[in-house]
Amino acid sequence: MKILTLQINPCCRSYKISRAALNADADLTYDLILEAKGYDQRFEKLGYVFAEPAYWREHLPRTLIEKIRYFVLDERLAGRRLQGIIRDSAADLVNSRGPDRLGYFAHRFGSVPVVHDVHDLYSIFPRRQTDQRNVRYRFREQYMYRKQLRWEKYTHEELDGLIYTSSYMLDYARSIYRISCETVIVPNAVLAEDVPEERLPKLSKTEGGRHLVYVGDMNQPKLEKLLDAARVGLHVHIYPIGDPAELADLRKVSSDQPLIHWKDTLPYRRLLLEFTQYDFGVIFWYRGATDEIFQTSLPNKIFEYLVAGLPVIVGPFRSLSDFVESRGVGFSVEEPEQILDRVNEEFEVPFREEYTMEYYMPDLLDFYRRVIRERGRPL
């Protein structure tokens, strides 16, 4: 079974799924197609590449004129280029991952079944976490927002299969789209080979206090909630992802808070090991965000905390609170100061196979085969 994977750039989710699937099925092969050279250097340095990539567009747009051509005028030409790559690959199926436009292009112009990995639903993702006052930006953003919605609708209603990160996301998608294709759930779990095999001493035992950890994208609204936790006397250790200049500004904003501890970027396995020294992982929220995305998503970090043996403190949203509370591995709060009511409780966080990506591979491989059998040529 040969799968052609179509992505905008390397990412950790695609890497984990592909590594786990290749390990689970010796007859499976993946070819990797990235959209264009010159994507964000932060992604290139992470090295999330599971096959030698090819590219289907000449380069990513930089100027306004290039963006107009890229998203408005170049659709048919780009589609024909992708059509040739899919044809020449002799793949049994295309698995697009990430932006919905990739699923749209592969299905409209390709000749084999297409399944799309819905990382997040664009229609409910909080697009404006920071203020954008430029009028020209607002006009361009509104145009692209409407176009993205059309791509999302097409992907959900026309493709041959859909992969979701949680059952909550699938349920919500069914409530707004006419989904008739095959579906499967593959959460943002951790590769079994990356699960820490040892534990570091708890900082709360050696230094006192209670120590929380946060990992992920960082901006001003997200930092505000972490600052709230520090102000009520909790140590907060931050492993941030973001633009270096913006992160430097955020460090300045929090410089008067001695309980905020900024950390350097670490190799992934070392990062998961470092988590073991803290008391809780946190998945906070921020005022003004679109709540529905938090009602439906289970981000990478919830599995990363759990494989490190950390209980998780989450915002009061359905998918997050259901997940941790049904397993007895954490709790939800409305505001950070409420953490103090439960932060000294003891939580047992035993390792569970469902926290690893390998656990979901039999379902994914069966899903691939069903789609190919129903929509493609026989294996």
Side-chain angles (χ1 to χ4, degrees):
M1 181 167 55
K2 184 175 185 179
I3 308 298
L4 181 62
T5 303
L6 180 63
Q7 301 173 202
I8 188 172
N9 53 36
C11 78
C12 62
R13 174 173 169 81
S14 298
Y15 174 79
K16 291 186 295 184
I17 290 176
S18 301
R19 280 291 302 272
L22 289 168
N23 290 337
D25 188 342
D27 295 325
L28 176 70
T29 60
Y30 278 109
D31 280 357
L32 174 61
I33 306 297
L34 301 181
E35 191 167 19
K37 293 182 178 180
Y39 48 79
D40 193 322
Q41 293 296 310
R42 288 175 294 166
F43 291 103
E44 291 186 348
K45 292 177 181 177
L46 291 174
Y48 292 130
V49 178
F50 49 87
E52 186 65 28
Y55 303 91
W56 68 284
R57 303 187 81 156
E58 294 179 0
H59 61 80
L60 295 176
R62 297 176 179 84
T63 67
L64 178 60
I65 296 299
E66 287 179 341
K67 290 177 180 178
I68 292 173
R69 177 181 176 184
Y70 192 84
F71 290 111
V72 180
L73 305 177
D74 196 31
E75 181 172 300
R76 289 187 178 277
L77 178 59
R80 287 196 295 270
R81 286 198 295 265
L82 183 60
Q83 182 181 51
I85 293 175
I86 294 174
R87 182 187 60 245
D88 295 343
S89 73
D92 298 298
L93 178 145
V94 173
N95 187 173
S96 55
R97 294 170 172 170
D100 295 297
R101 69 174 182 270
L102 301 183
Y104 165 83
F105 273 96
H107 187 265
R108 181 177 176 190
F109 296 99
S111 55
V112 299
V114 179
V115 302
H116 185 68
D117 188 352
V118 184
H119 291 196
D120 287 301
L121 279 171
Y122 177 85
S123 56
I124 59 173
F125 196 82
R127 297 176 296 121
R128 302 187 68 173
Q129 298 176 18
T130 55
D131 191 22
Q132 298 287 350
R133 299 181 181 276
N134 185 283
V135 174
R136 188 175 66 178
Y137 173 88
R138 290 203 302 269
F139 174 80
R140 186 167 67 246
E141 181 191 42
Q142 287 302 314
Y143 171 81
M144 286 307 303
Y145 178 65
R146 291 191 294 270
K147 199 171 183 69
Q148 293 277 12
L149 290 182
R150 290 196 294 271
W151 283 328
E152 181 177 282
K153 179 178 175 64
Y154 184 98
T155 295
H156 280 79
E157 297 189 349
E158 303 297 335
L159 266 60
D160 304 295
L162 294 165
I163 305 169
Y164 291 89
T165 60
S166 77
S167 59
Y168 306 93
M169 188 76 74
L170 172 55
D171 289 343
Y172 183 81
R174 289 190 187 281
S175 75
I176 59 174
Y177 294 117
R178 176 184 52 80
I179 298 175
S180 59
C181 63
E182 295 281 346
T183 62
V184 69
I185 307 298
V186 181
N188 290 305
V190 176
L191 280 172
E193 64 192 48
D194 293 329
V195 175
E197 296 181 355
E198 58 181 302
R199 296 287 187 264
L200 299 177
K202 293 290 186 183
L203 293 179
S204 54
K205 300 294 185 183
T206 59
E207 299 180 9
R210 300 299 273 172
H211 294 257
L212 315 182
V213 62
Y214 172 86
V215 63
D217 292 319
M218 180 56 58
N219 57 29
Q220 181 63 41
K222 291 180 180 178
L223 178 61
E224 288 175 1
K225 284 293 185 180
L226 298 176
L227 287 170
D228 288 344
R231 292 185 183 112
V232 299
L234 299 166
H235 289 270
V236 181
H237 302 258
I238 303 174
Y239 293 81
I241 298 173
D243 178 76
E246 294 177 4
L247 293 178
D249 291 339
L250 294 176
R251 285 175 181 248
K252 292 178 183 177
V253 170
S254 63
S255 61
D256 63 338
Q257 285 296 326
L259 300 187
I260 292 288
H261 310 280
W262 292 89
K263 303 294 183 176
D264 294 330
T265 301
L266 293 174
Y268 190 64
R269 291 187 186 179
R270 177 63 194 181
L271 175 69
L272 297 184
L273 177 61
E274 285 223 351
F275 286 172
T276 65
Q277 68 188 316
Y278 304 117
D279 299 304
F280 291 89
V282 294
I283 304 177
F284 281 155
W285 59 101
Y286 42 93
R287 296 179 181 89
T290 304
D291 288 354
E292 194 59 45
I293 191 68
F294 298 103
Q295 301 283 7
T296 61
S297 64
L298 290 173
N300 288 282
K301 59 178 68 69
I302 197 168
F303 295 95
E304 293 165 348
Y305 297 150
L306 291 172
V307 298
L310 296 188
V312 187
I313 304 170
V314 301
F317 298 100
R318 186 173 63 254
S319 58
L320 296 171
S321 59
D322 282 359
F323 191 87
V324 298
E325 291 173 359
S326 66
R327 292 160 178 79
V329 294
F331 58 91
S332 64
V333 294
E334 295 280 348
E335 296 294 341
E337 57 264 27
Q338 295 172 341
I339 297 172
L340 297 179
D341 297 334
R342 302 193 63 181
V343 75
N344 291 316
E345 292 183 23
E346 295 294 331
F347 288 87
E348 288 292 329
V349 186
F351 174 75
R352 297 168 65 126
E353 292 291 334
E354 67 171 307
Y355 303 153
T356 67
M357 191 62 77
E358 284 80 356
Y359 180 82
Y360 304 94
M361 290 305 100
D363 287 344
L364 177 65
L365 295 171
D366 286 346
F367 164 80
Y368 281 159
R369 295 186 186 101
R370 289 198 309 273
V371 172
I372 294 171
R373 184 171 61 249
E374 295 171 9
R375 304 294 182 97
R377 53 178 177 262
L379 290 176

